[in-house]
């Protein structure tokens, strides 16, 4: 009986050792598989192309000096140092949301936004150039302005902040914010922009000359010349 008991204990110990060995082998195998999978995952991740790194310094160089080897003209010739133009013929670009600026440059190059000068200027720019220039301008200080026409300030304010319900015109502030700061990646900064330029764009939307925003085309077609001038002047003084 004692011998049988000893044999039974020995068999139990052997079975337990076998089970531990199996678990140990499984553990080692799992570690090995994980080690093999890690480099594969890293390789797969590295193989996925990422977006080009934005370089504001390169954007500043192009904006301020152009690149004669590629026929790129310096932007500051028209838009002024750091994006602060001296006349309403050319828009102020400083502090504008990078996504918006890049989109406009792309639209000019593709021809979906018509402007003979800007279509020519953007023709030699790569997408990376556009991103770099836009990133540089976004970092510049905003250029503030003032409303000039006291006779229309109330009308302009009313349209910007409350819209024109009778015409189905929404409040400009709903998208461009009460201060004209806009919403990054969605709606552009308007505050401080030249009234002359803003008015010209509203006319372009209304007349079908500018076609790269169906929303603005719909709104502009409902505004009279007086209403456009009034709201454009009011926008110039927002900050």
């Amino acid at each position: 009986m004692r011998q049988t008991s000893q044999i039974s204990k020995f068999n139990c110990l052997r079975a337990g050792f076998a089970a531990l060995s199996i678990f140990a082998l499984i553990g080692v195998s799992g570690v090995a598989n994980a080690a093999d999978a890690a480099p594969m995952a890293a390789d797969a991740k590295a193989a996925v192309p990422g977006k080009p790194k934005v370089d504001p310094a390169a954007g500043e160089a192009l904006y301020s000096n152009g690149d004669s080897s590629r026929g790129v003209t310096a932007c500051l010739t028209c838009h002024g140092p750091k994006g602060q133009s001296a006349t309403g013929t050319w828009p102020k670009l400083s502090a504008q949301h990078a996504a918006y600026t890049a989109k406009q440059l792309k639209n000019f190059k593709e021809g979906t936004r018509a402007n003979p000068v800007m279509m020519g200027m953007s023709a030699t720019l790569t997408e990376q150039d556009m991103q770099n220039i836009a990133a540089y301008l976004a970092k510049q200080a905003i250029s503030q302005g003032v409303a000039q026409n006291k006779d229309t300030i109330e009308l302009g304010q009313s349209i910007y902040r409350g819209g024109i319900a009778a015409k189905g015109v929404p409040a400009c502030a709903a998208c461009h914010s009460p201060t004209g700061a806009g919403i990054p990646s969605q709606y552009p900064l308007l505050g401080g922009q030249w009234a002359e330029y803003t008015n010209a764009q509203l006319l372009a939307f209304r007349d079908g000359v500018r076609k790269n925003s169906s929303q603005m085309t719909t709104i502009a077609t409902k505004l009279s010349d007086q209403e456009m001038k009034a709201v454009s002047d009011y926008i110039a003084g927002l900050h």
Side-chain angles (χ1 to χ4, degrees), residues 97 142 153 156-163 171-184 187-192 231 233-239:
H97 307 310
I142 190 171
I153 193 74
Q157 181 181 41
S158 175
I159 295 171
Y160 189 87
R161 298 193 178 284
C172 310
C175 293
H176 296 285
S177 86
T179 62
I183 300 175
Y187 304 106
L189 160 74
L190 294 182
V231 75
D233 188 61
Y234 178 74
I235 285 170
L238 284 174
H239 55 81

Side-chain angles (χ1 to χ4, degrees), residues 60-82:
E60 178 181 11
L62 274 180
Y63 182 90
S64 301
N65 306 309
D67 185 347
S68 58
S69 67
R70 294 192 288 138
V72 178
T73 304
C75 310
L76 65 70
T77 304
C78 296
H79 295 286
K82 299 183 178 182

Side-chain angles (χ1 to χ4, degrees), residues 79-103:
H79 295 286
K82 299 183 178 182
Q84 299 192 15
S85 66
T87 173
T89 303
W90 310 108
K92 299 175 183 179
L93 301 178
S94 59
Q96 185 58 266
H97 307 310
Y100 181 78
T101 300
K103 178 184 182 295

